[in-house]
Amino acid sequence: MADTIEKNVTRGGQFLVKETKCEDIFTPEDFSEEQLMMRDSVKEFVDKELWAHKDRFEKKDYAYTESSMRKAGELGLLGVAVPEEYGGLGMGFVSTMLVCDYISGATGSFSTAFGAHTGIGTMPITLYGTEEQKKKYVPKLASGEWFGAYCLTEPGAGSDANSGKTKAVLSEDGKSYSITGQKMWISNAGFCSVFIVFARIGDDKNITGFIVENDPSNGISMNEEEHKLGIRASSTRQVFFNDTKVPVENMLSERGNGFKIAMNALNVGRIKLAAACLDAQRRVTTNAVKYANERIQFNTAISSFGAIRSKLAEMATNAYAGESASYRAAKDIEDRIAAREAEGTTHQEAELKGVEEYAIECSILKVAVSEDVQSCADEGIQIFGGMGFSEDTPMESAWRDARIARIYEGTNEINRMLSVGMLIKKAMKGHVDLLGPAMKVQEELMGIPSFDTPDFSELFAEEKGIIANLKKVFLMVAGSAVQKYGPDLDSHQQLLMAASDILIEIYMAESTILRTEKLAKNQGEAKVQEQIAMAKLYLYKAVDIVNSRGKEGIISFAEGDEQRMMLMGLKRFTKYTNNPNVVALREVITSKLVAENEYCF
């Protein structure tokens, strides 16, 4: 059984060197009846409890955020990912993504509270805790009786998470640790019951995790709520620990394992953050379409103006691409977890390793979708014009709330560099064969290109050829860069950023093409013309980005004949035989949006 699952599961990063068939990916159209019911109940909760009271979140009503979280707990929504034996619903990874997606679109304040509690507040105990720790804390966290927070960031330790100065000192009787230090930007601090705190014991190289109950009489104090650009009703405070006593049995995992816990929590957090940015895009797009249909200028609805139609098409396309890639990766993770469990691994270990396997995809999604939601909200404001800048419309709060997503869970700059760095490490370990395909690309560059006219009669035949060529661009740029710089590649951050953008566009564009191909096979091309247009439009834009970033990368490290050869290769690999009419593609997409008066894909 395990062997069968293993063969069908593509390993993390392998999308770059392995052709994926559309039948082998999961799409939002594949949701089960149970998942659709879960989605609908989440949407009902959000519309009734969150969207209808959006003004309360914007007015910093922290108490309303807390009471909304309690209601979510009563509905079981805080325990979706928690195993049943600890009071949760024990649902699979795709279902946890689905809930995170649809619960997060109304307001960033609630989305942050939910994400911090269910992810970094609860998950480290579920995945790293002892049986006693799980039994004591997880049921209360799953039900919403207690709320969790996560204390990692310090004034001097942000992206460099392992450089924290908070200290943990063992008592003379060996029964407790005394924690002293300062943590900042702690989500849910104002109403949490328990903290996951990271501190250093002695001169240890790595930090250690602790479960610390929030008891002000035990040396725990806080600053007032931070006043932030967005997520205004998300409780965010500095937390001070002054000789806070923590029983030795509240150490999380082993001594020095804190950095590993933090990094693995971030992997899950990254893909969940991508999910948390999806419904925000749907809602912003729907609001923009409705407004464009109602707003009359020059005796006509502005939804009939090409400049507005172009924006709506791009907003919908990016949302559709984000969905496609996020759920593809979520199912890959779920399948990997199942494969591990079938081999007899514990649920804890299976989930940890399953997510860790796809850390590259998690970073890709975090960057791509967080940037798309910001762009979507920005264009939403533009479509509303002056009204978009007003607090009376939902656009300005969506724009402010979106901004934090590029900083959360490791900044987008860190994640860009991580995605390429992790891929190269996987290649070094033999988990992904990059060397063989990179050598083939080098040979192809030296050879004579084929002048045969390809057969493009099948749907996406040319687009799939282009995706394969974009992969060659990455292998050409990254392969040559590794050859030139070796281990020093880490210090060439601008080159890594360029390579990362190529990697991101490949994954996002391929996921969108595969989802749409699967949809067309199941429903017939005639019924999915708009989705076909979105897949083609996304790829066209991706090719432009790959061309630009590839050129920048090549020129930064190659000279003379090598540079000329690589630039010729770049031109060859980013060339269409039949250039798509992007204006016509946008028209197909927007006509559907305007007719349906909402995001309808």
Side-chain angles (χ1 to χ4, degrees), residues 89-142:
L89 298 179
M91 291 189 147
F93 200 83
V94 172
S95 294
T96 69
M97 282 281 285
L98 182 64
V99 170
C100 184
D101 172 353
Y102 281 91
I103 211 164
S104 300
T107 162
S109 298
F110 183 86
S111 173
T112 297
F114 177 85
H117 171 76
T118 57
I120 51 183
T122 305
M123 190 181 54
I125 306 176
T126 312
L127 296 184
Y128 286 97
T130 62
E131 195 58 30
E132 291 71 28
Q133 288 169 347
K134 286 187 284 189
K135 281 178 177 166
K136 181 175 180 181
Y137 295 107
V138 176
K140 288 178 179 177
L141 292 166

Side-chain angles (χ1 to χ4, degrees), residues 280-545:
Q281 290 179 78
R282 294 186 202 105
R283 285 177 183 268
V284 166
T285 304
T286 290
N287 275 285
V289 171
K290 287 185 192 302
Y291 184 80
N293 277 337
E294 290 165 9
R295 175 72 169 161
I296 306 296
Q297 290 292 277
F298 309 105
N299 296 321
T300 183
I302 65 169
S303 61
S304 64
F305 299 148
I308 301 295
R309 294 173 77 81
S310 170
K311 292 179 189 302
L312 292 172
E314 300 282 353
M315 290 157 75
T317 296
N318 286 341
Y320 179 76
E323 289 172 357
S324 307
S326 297
Y327 285 105
R328 172 191 183 181
K331 187 62 162 67
D332 281 343
I333 290 170
E334 186 169 290
D335 288 347
R336 189 80 183 169
I337 293 168
R340 289 272 183 179
E341 287 185 323
E343 290 165 358
T345 311
T346 65
H347 174 75
Q348 278 172 291
E349 187 68 12
E351 187 141 331
L352 276 170
K353 293 294 182 189
V355 176
E356 197 178 343
E357 177 67 44
Y358 294 95
I360 295 162
E361 287 80 354
C362 292
S363 281
I364 285 172
L365 287 163
K366 190 272 173 182
V367 173
V369 188
S370 68
E371 292 181 0
D372 284 342
V373 73
Q374 184 83 61
S375 168
C376 182
D378 196 66
E379 292 288 39
I381 290 177
Q382 199 69 12
I383 290 167
F384 271 68
M387 284 301 293
F389 206 68
S390 164
E391 288 188 0
D392 292 337
T393 64
M395 290 297 160
E396 65 88 34
S397 63
W399 185 87
R400 286 186 291 97
D401 283 352
R403 187 59 188 85
I404 189 64
R406 284 154 57 198
I407 299 169
Y408 269 164
E409 311 294 353
T411 65
N412 283 11
E413 291 71 25
I414 289 284
N415 273 286
R416 277 186 161 87
M417 290 182 287
L418 265 178
S419 59
V420 179
M422 288 188 290
L423 184 63
I424 291 167
K425 280 198 184 101
K426 277 198 155 215
M428 303 287 188
K429 287 179 182 172
H431 293 175
V432 179
D433 176 20
L434 291 186
L435 188 61
M439 299 285 281
K440 281 184 185 168
V441 174
Q442 292 285 354
E443 288 166 19
E444 191 175 337
L445 288 176
M446 305 294 285
I448 299 164
S450 165
F451 295 103
D452 295 343
T453 307
D455 176 14
F456 292 145
S457 54
E458 278 192 25
L459 176 67
F460 293 137
E462 178 165 15
E463 286 76 13
K464 284 167 149 182
I466 287 170
I467 296 270
N469 280 340
L470 297 186
K471 292 177 182 181
K472 290 175 187 175
V473 173
F474 179 85
L475 291 165
M476 176 177 73
V477 174
S480 300
V482 169
Q483 278 180 328
K484 176 149 191 173
Y485 296 119
D488 292 336
L489 183 59
D490 280 357
S491 61
H492 296 269
Q493 292 194 350
Q494 293 187 55
L495 174 56
L496 283 171
M497 300 276 277
S500 170
D501 281 345
I502 298 169
L503 189 65
I504 288 165
E505 293 306 324
I506 290 166
Y507 190 72
M508 300 301 289
E510 182 181 67
S511 300
T512 311
I513 294 280
L514 291 172
R515 174 188 181 181
T516 311
E517 185 188 9
K518 187 174 183 179
L519 199 55
K521 282 186 176 178
N522 290 337
Q523 296 186 18
E525 287 181 39
K527 287 188 178 174
V528 293
Q529 286 302 303
E530 296 81 16
Q531 287 91 332
I532 290 169
M534 286 193 287
K536 289 184 174 183
L537 178 61
Y538 191 92
L539 178 62
Y540 181 83
K541 306 278 283 195
V543 169
D544 265 359
I545 293 167

